[in-house]
Amino acid sequence: MADERIRGYAAAIFELARGEDVLERVEGELFRVARALDGSDDLKNTLSDNRLPMQRKQSVIDDLLGGRAHSLTTAFVSFAVGLGRGGDLADIADEFTARSAAERNRAVAEVRSAIPLDDATIDRLARGLAARIGNQVEVRVVIDESILGGLVATVGDTVIDGSVRTRLEQLREAVTG
């Protein structure tokens, strides 16, 4: 569960994005920032290392977001990193995403796939997950080659693992166990 500080930062960027009518765009960009941080210890360590000068961190932020993200997203990431909250950015982004989805009476499903998914597949996933959890679902796809094939869907605390990797592990345990 997010602590008060993380909820506070998420609430602040949420209100700014809603006020500028860029809520969905900033939500998508912060989600991608969070997944980039989750996928790279080097990036996370660089943005959270208080020994590094802010100029160096800002250069990394510019490389990551410059010209591709809304100015509010870039300014917020810079602000959070400047305040020493770089290590919390993924949690702040996840809290922001959950708050934004709740505003639209939806849940967010993070779906990990070894390959990109087409729109029709994403729509089928959203309908299937919505039927399972009883709420409309927004699907956010993360490419994760380590799952080998299939999908892993996470909605809140619920994880649905249909990955080839997990099936191979289960098969190995059955054969050796």
Side-chain angles (χ1 to χ4, degrees):
M1 189 71 178
D3 71 22
E4 286 301 316
R5 190 173 304 155
I6 288 169
R7 281 193 293 273
Y9 283 110
I13 186 65
F14 175 84
E15 292 302 331
L16 289 168
R18 184 166 59 178
E20 290 191 23
D21 198 26
V22 291
L23 192 57
E24 288 186 43
R25 179 173 178 184
V26 171
E27 178 184 347
E29 291 169 353
L30 285 177
F31 179 83
R32 287 187 292 280
V33 167
R35 299 302 66 87
L37 290 166
D38 288 345
S40 172
D41 287 339
D42 288 341
L43 177 61
K44 189 171 189 171
N45 291 337
T46 298
L47 294 182
S48 62
D49 187 344
N50 291 328
R51 296 170 298 175
L52 290 177
M54 186 57 197
Q55 185 177 21
R56 168 79 172 109
K57 294 178 190 179
Q58 188 60 50
S59 176
V60 171
I61 293 167
D62 291 342
D63 288 345
L64 183 65
L65 299 174
R68 294 179 295 280
H70 191 276
S71 59
L72 182 59
T73 304
T74 304
F76 177 76
V77 170
S78 296
F79 173 75
V81 169
L83 290 176
R85 310 313 293 168
D88 293 331
L89 270 173
D91 291 335
I92 294 167
D94 290 342
E95 178 71 17
F96 173 88
T97 299
R99 180 181 291 259
S100 182
E103 175 82 359
R104 295 185 303 279
N105 294 318
R106 294 175 179 256
V108 175
E110 180 179 297
V111 175
R112 293 186 171 276
S113 171
I115 60 170
L117 303 177
D118 61 41
D119 290 340
T121 301
I122 293 170
D123 288 342
R124 281 193 311 276
L125 277 169
R127 287 193 307 274
L129 291 168
R132 183 158 182 178
I133 68 164
N135 194 6
Q136 293 296 312
V137 175
E138 293 181 12
V139 174
R140 304 276 190 232
V141 178
V142 177
I143 304 303
D144 182 354
E145 295 173 359
S146 73
I147 68 169
L148 304 177
L151 302 170
V152 177
T154 306
V155 184
D157 294 334
T158 303
V159 177
I160 304 164
D161 191 340
S163 67
V164 170
R165 178 180 174 181
T166 297
R167 289 180 185 160
L168 288 172
E169 288 172 4
Q170 291 168 342
L171 180 61
R172 186 187 75 230
E173 287 177 19
V175 170
T176 61

